[in-house]
Amino acid sequence: MSNKVDVFRALHLGRVHGDPLVLPGPWDAASARVFAEAGFPALATPSAGVAASLGYEDGSTPADEMFAAVARITRAVDVPVSADIEGGYGLAPKELVERLLEAGAVGCNLEDSVGGVLKDPREQAEFLAEFRAAAGDRLFLNARVDVFVHGDKDPERAIERAALYVAAGADCIYPILAPADVLPLLRAGIQGPVNINARLDGKGPSPAELGELGATRITFGPGLQRWAALALRGMAEQLRK
């Protein structure tokens, strides 16, 4: 596992503008195999996509079911897999680390809001520091910053929170739903890799364009799962004709 973590961490380093790390989000073992066979060097599960595959609303998946789903995905592929574990399910940092390692994940996302409200950033930084102390270098920590989805959308506020999380040991910062026009400012103000989510409807910048603007890593949230569901719906409609 340590080798996979080293590989995953190395994929984030030394990337040039316009060449971000693109991480598709598998929601089950079958989709993970598709992405791995397509040549992607690593994957990152989306909590909302996994929830949909298990029959839950986003944010409602029990911890045991989420970790079991992540384990099925990691067993299905040889590439590193990072897991979106939402806010941590109320588990202590040490237990989160143990559950992730048992599931075969090389890292995780952790949100900094709960119930649509931003957490106190210093308390969240303490939580992340405890996670880092428990994980050591065995897991890659992607710290989400929810200012643009649950806050005042001020880039400076996002940068302030990011600085606390980096100091606490975060390997990457994820300012979810940050608009493209603030990415250069975020890139200039955030130390280390920056994760940006890309749209799949053609209405936003491409992954390469997001890379030019400052993104180190690109994820898609539940977009790929929802795209696949739409494709399947079209096939189902054809079967009824």
Side-chain angles (χ1 to χ4, degrees):
M1 178 56 62
S2 61
N3 183 54
K4 281 189 177 181
V5 177
D6 293 342
V7 168
F8 189 70
R9 186 171 281 111
L11 287 170
H12 293 75
L13 303 177
R15 306 200 74 89
V16 299
H17 280 354
D19 182 32
L21 173 62
V22 177
L23 297 177
W27 53 95
D28 60 14
S31 59
R33 290 193 187 99
V34 168
F35 296 137
E37 290 169 2
F40 289 97
L43 308 174
T45 69
S47 61
V50 173
S53 74
L54 297 174
Y56 292 103
E57 294 295 325
D58 184 20
S60 299
T61 309
D64 287 349
E65 293 199 43
M66 182 61 76
F67 285 112
V70 171
R72 288 191 291 272
I73 289 169
T74 64
R75 286 197 302 267
V77 295
D78 291 329
V79 299
V81 178
S82 182
D84 183 344
I85 54 170
E86 303 177 279
Y89 307 110
L91 301 175
K94 184 178 180 181
E95 185 173 357
L96 277 178
V97 168
E98 292 172 352
R99 298 292 297 271
L100 285 162
L101 293 174
E102 288 172 0
V106 299
C108 69
N109 291 356
L110 281 169
E111 301 172 1
D112 74 339
S113 63
V114 60
V117 178
L118 289 175
K119 297 178 182 179
D120 178 274
R122 296 193 180 277
E123 291 180 2
Q124 177 68 357
E126 291 176 5
F127 180 81
L128 296 178
E130 291 179 23
F131 180 96
R132 172 53 66 209
D137 61 0
R138 296 178 296 170
L139 292 169
F140 186 97
L141 176 56
N142 189 34
R144 221 173 81 168
V145 171
D146 292 0
V147 165
F148 298 100
V149 61
H150 295 310
D152 61 8
K153 307 184 190 307
D154 183 349
E156 294 296 342
R157 197 84 63 240
I159 290 170
E160 291 170 4
R161 296 175 83 90
L164 289 171
Y165 301 164
V166 169
D171 296 289
C172 185
I173 298 296
Y174 181 14
I176 187 170
L177 298 186
D181 60 359
V182 304
L183 293 191
L185 177 60
L186 295 176
R187 174 68 280 169
I190 294 175
Q191 182 179 1
V194 176
N195 184 164
I196 296 296
N197 49 298
R199 298 178 62 164
L200 294 169
D201 57 8
K203 296 181 180 179
S206 68
E209 290 168 334
L210 289 172
E212 291 286 355
L213 291 169
T216 312
R217 151 175 163 169
I218 304 294
T219 52
F220 304 91
L224 289 160
Q225 182 271 327
R226 292 173 180 172
W227 198 12
L230 285 174
L232 189 59
R233 181 178 301 171
M235 295 176 193
E237 290 172 355
Q238 288 295 318
L239 292 174
R240 287 175 56 88
K241 292 181 179 180

